[in-house]
Amino acid sequence: MIPVALSVKDLRKTFGALEVLKGISLDARQGDVISILGASGSGKSTFLRCINLLETPDSGEVRLGDEVIRMRKGRDGRSGAADRRQVDRLRARLGMVFQNFNLWSHMTILQNVIEAPVHVLGRPKAECVAEAEALLAKVGIADKRHQYPAHLSGGQQQRAAIARALAMRPDVMLFDEPTSALDPELVGEVLRVMRTLASEGRTMLVVTHEIGFARDVSDRVVFLQNGLVDCDGPPADVFGTGGSDRFKTFIARHATA
Amino acid sequence: MDFGFMAQTTVALLSGLPLTLELFVTSVLAGGVLAALLAWMRAGRVPGLSALAAAYVFVFRGTPLLVQLFLIYYGLSQFPEVRHSVAWPVLRDPFWCAVLALALNTGAYTSEIFRGALAAVPTGQVEAARACGMPRLTLLRRVVLPIALRQALPSYATEIILMTKATALASIVTLKETMFVAAKLNSETYRAIEVFLCAGAIYLVLNIAIARAVALLEWRLSPHLRRAPDALPGLDTPLELGTA
Ligand SMILES: Nc1ncnc2c1ncn2[C@@H]1O[C@H](COP(=O)(O)OP(=O)(O)OP(=O)(O)O)[C@@H](O)[C@H]1O
Ligand SMILES: [Mg+2]
């Protein structure tokens, strides 16, 4: 039995009157690559952001390994993290890759990659630099290490952002549409890196519009619709006979788009 | 024009420069601390504090510095409570009255510069730091402040240049800084053109030096805003890693 790396139970989130997540549960075992699909506005980003508490869920449980993020209700009735230090500790184990890269603009690529290992984990700098250089070589931008993010193409920036997330040696990686902000000809280089990570047995949750990646690379596909999990299963099932009609409509629209 | 006289005048005026610099440095430092506090109050989510800071800025930006200086220097001494308070040795000293007025005033302006710079820090970069578990103080020190500082520098340079000129007001409350010496020389010699040209030149040189220093700092802090080192052969020296 492969242990569960990340477990989400009955996650709910509303923005004002808008109920975005209506109770989402998902278990990722170690090494799972799970693609999360869904129409725009279906709550995919909100779901990922609730996992590392960039958004505060209204209710539900997030468990990383055997540690549950402790929540409590504030005096105003809104929920919040009970222990900020615990949240920081768990975030350090959840690597996040954003649609817009979000590299720190005032640091070189190498500084971006060693920043959190040195200043969050407190690891020795020389060791982090050596590891960062290996990671940058792995994602194919070793020659850019002394340049600033603004001097890189989108695809290079996203690969740097992936290296930055990897440098924390995360237990689970969260990708929020990592290729959506890229020119079409740059999508491939980022997907190639992600395929490599998947083949190394890393645990990954990938929000994506890349149907090919979802079908060919992931172990599981989760389709979100109106704040609920509409279907969930291995790509062969979901893309075969197991998928709902709504999922088929979604895929059909994407294939033609 | 009598260049011999102007040379003498300049030498005489330079005797006031140390006090001008003292007023300038002290009030800019104190004003900076005040500005940071005000910006923090305004950025925070405590409604009372935020409104208080906004009102402070409104009042101190909306009234002449000279009025503020007179209120502090002449006004405060009318209250027996002030005269008998522990603060009196400070508040009876014209130097500290001038510093107080200058600092309270520049604090208001500078807090607005800081506020704008903080608001301009891209939220995505802050989220990226939060997402890797960076504690709040580290995030402030490593990400928010370095980005905000670069953003604030050009307007901040303008503000401190205004401050060097504002120190001249201190001559009115008997401080023997550059402008005071100039006014005295003028009343002794009646050679206003030469005396005040020399005084103006001293402020001008001071401000050129300040502007150059800030521009240099800005250049040093902004390699990421310049062209890639690829495009500038010979400038491929990376900044020292993790300069904290
Ligand atoms: N901070 C916020 N405040 C208010 N509403 C929000 C906020 N964030 C998201 N929403 C709303 O929640 C809904 C879900 O947004 P979310 O970004 O999670 O969708 P998504 O599935 O990621 O969409 P996309 O594919 O366009 O990225 C949307 O209707 C959005 O407008
Ligand atoms: Mg999204």
Side-chain angles (χ1 to χ4, degrees):
Chain A
M1 190 67 194
I2 304 168
V4 173
L6 175 75
S7 163
V8 179
K9 282 204 183 68
D10 199 30
L11 203 67
R12 289 167 193 271
K13 174 72 183 173
T14 49
F15 288 114
L18 182 68
E19 196 177 5
V20 179
L21 305 180
K22 301 174 183 168
I24 295 194
S25 301
L26 184 140
D27 280 350
R29 289 169 309 163
Q30 274 173 24
D32 272 356
V33 176
I34 301 180
S35 290
I36 299 169
L37 304 180
S40 184
S42 57
K44 306 180 298 292
S45 297
T46 307
F47 174 60
L48 276 199
R49 294 165 58 82
C50 280
I51 292 175
N52 63 4
L53 258 70
L54 286 181
E55 299 288 357
T56 311
D58 299 335
S59 65
E61 185 186 281
V62 176
R63 173 193 294 268
L64 185 59
D66 49 16
E67 199 170 346
V68 176
I69 303 185
R70 288 191 299 281
M71 305 293 291
R72 64 144 187 247
K73 286 259 184 267
R75 265 172 297 167
D76 53 1
R78 291 167 40 161
S79 67
D83 177 0
R84 194 182 290 138
R85 295 231 300 278
Q86 185 204 25
V87 172
D88 284 343
R89 202 174 62 238
L90 292 180
R91 278 176 176 162
R93 294 165 53 194
L94 288 164
M96 186 147 192
V97 176
F98 299 85
Q99 184 171 351
N100 295 312
F101 333 130
N102 294 342
L103 292 168
W104 297 304
S105 56
H106 59 300
M107 299 182 195
T108 64
I109 297 304
L110 183 62
Q111 287 168 337
N112 263 278
V113 177
I114 65 169
E115 177 65 20
V118 172
H119 289 99
V120 176
L121 301 180
R123 290 174 46 200
K125 187 149 104 188
E127 180 190 310
C128 294
V129 169
E131 196 171 308
E133 295 196 327
L135 285 172
L136 289 173
K138 175 176 173 160
V139 300
I141 49 171
D143 56 326
K144 304 288 182 192
R145 65 187 181 282
H146 293 313
Q147 297 200 12
Y148 288 87
H151 302 145
L152 269 58
S153 73
Q156 291 167 339
Q157 287 189 54
Q158 193 60 296
R159 287 184 279 153
I162 291 173
R164 173 175 70 173
L166 286 171
M168 293 294 277
R169 301 172 177 168
D171 296 344
V172 177
M173 295 187 73
L174 310 173
F175 294 81
D176 189 2
E177 299 198 33
T179 57
S180 294
L182 299 177
D183 291 338
E185 72 270 23
L186 301 179
V187 168
E189 62 192 53
V190 171
L191 288 182
R192 256 195 307 282
V193 169
M194 291 173 60
R195 279 172 193 265
T196 309
L197 299 183
S199 70
E200 289 170 353
R202 291 182 189 272
T203 315
M204 298 160 62
L205 256 58
V206 186
V207 170
T208 184
H209 287 291
E210 294 293 326
I211 306 296
F213 181 90
R215 188 180 44 218
D216 304 336
V217 181
S218 43
D219 305 301
R220 245 167 79 201
V221 172
V222 172
F223 179 59
L224 293 191
Q225 166 88 21
N226 292 327
L228 289 168
V229 174
D230 186 68
C231 49
D232 176 353
D237 285 1
V238 178
F239 282 93
T241 52
S244 67
D245 287 345
R246 278 191 294 231
F247 180 67
K248 293 197 177 92
T249 316
F250 173 81
I251 294 300
R253 196 170 326 122
H254 259 274
T256 54
Chain B
M1 231 177 271
D2 180 345
F3 287 102
F5 175 73
M6 284 178 77
Q8 276 176 4
T9 305
T10 305
V11 171
L13 288 175
L14 284 176
S15 69
L17 188 59
L19 188 54
T20 294
L21 289 175
E22 235 177 287
L23 281 165
F24 168 70
V25 171
T26 317
S27 52
V28 161
L29 289 180
V33 173
L34 175 62
L37 185 70
L38 287 168
W40 175 78
M41 283 165 71
R42 291 206 71 172
R45 267 159 280 172
V46 189
L49 280 187
S50 167
L52 191 69
Y56 175 89
V57 170
F58 180 73
V59 169
F60 276 83
R61 282 203 312 183
T63 55
L65 175 56
L66 191 57
V67 169
Q68 296 160 20
L69 179 59
F70 281 0
L71 278 174
I72 291 170
Y73 184 66
Y74 297 118
L76 287 182
S77 62
Q78 297 188 353
F79 298 98
E81 295 87 346
V82 174
R83 285 201 306 275
H84 296 122
S85 75
V86 287
W88 183 237
V90 170
L91 289 175
R92 69 192 293 187
D93 182 340
F95 175 80
W96 289 111
C97 285
V99 165
L100 190 61
L102 290 166
L104 291 176
N105 191 267
T106 188
Y109 280 94
T110 308
S111 76
E112 286 295 284
I113 295 172
F114 286 179
R115 189 167 73 97
L118 287 174
V121 175
T123 44
Q125 294 185 36
V126 175
E127 279 193 343
R130 292 211 289 143
C132 58
M134 205 177 272
R136 287 213 290 196
L137 274 182
T138 313
L139 194 155
L140 198 64
R141 187 170 58 85
R142 300 289 309 171
V143 176
V144 173
L145 290 182
I147 296 175
L149 178 68
R150 285 160 176 77
Q151 199 89 34
L153 267 181
S155 342
Y156 188 65
T158 308
E159 172 58 21
I160 63 174
I161 282 171
L162 287 171
M163 281 300 289
T164 60
K165 298 187 292 179
T167 58
L169 288 179
S171 62
I172 303 177
V173 294
T174 74
L175 286 170
K176 299 181 175 52
E177 44 68 79
T178 310
M179 190 58 195
F180 182 94
V181 179
K184 184 158 159 283
L185 283 178
N186 177 50
S187 65
E188 287 165 8
T189 62
Y190 297 104
R191 297 171 77 165
I193 298 275
E194 280 112 327
V195 169
F196 291 120
L197 270 182
C198 290
I202 287 176
Y203 286 101
L204 192 62
V205 170
L206 181 59
N207 281 333
I208 289 173
I210 290 172
R212 294 305 295 266
V214 176
L216 183 67
L217 184 63
E218 207 182 320
W219 191 84
R220 283 286 309 271
L221 292 179
S222 319
H224 59 295
L225 302 177
R226 291 195 289 275
R227 279 179 300 161
D230 275 358
L232 288 173
L235 269 182
D236 195 9
T237 40
L239 269 189
E240 225 179 293
L241 283 174
T243 41

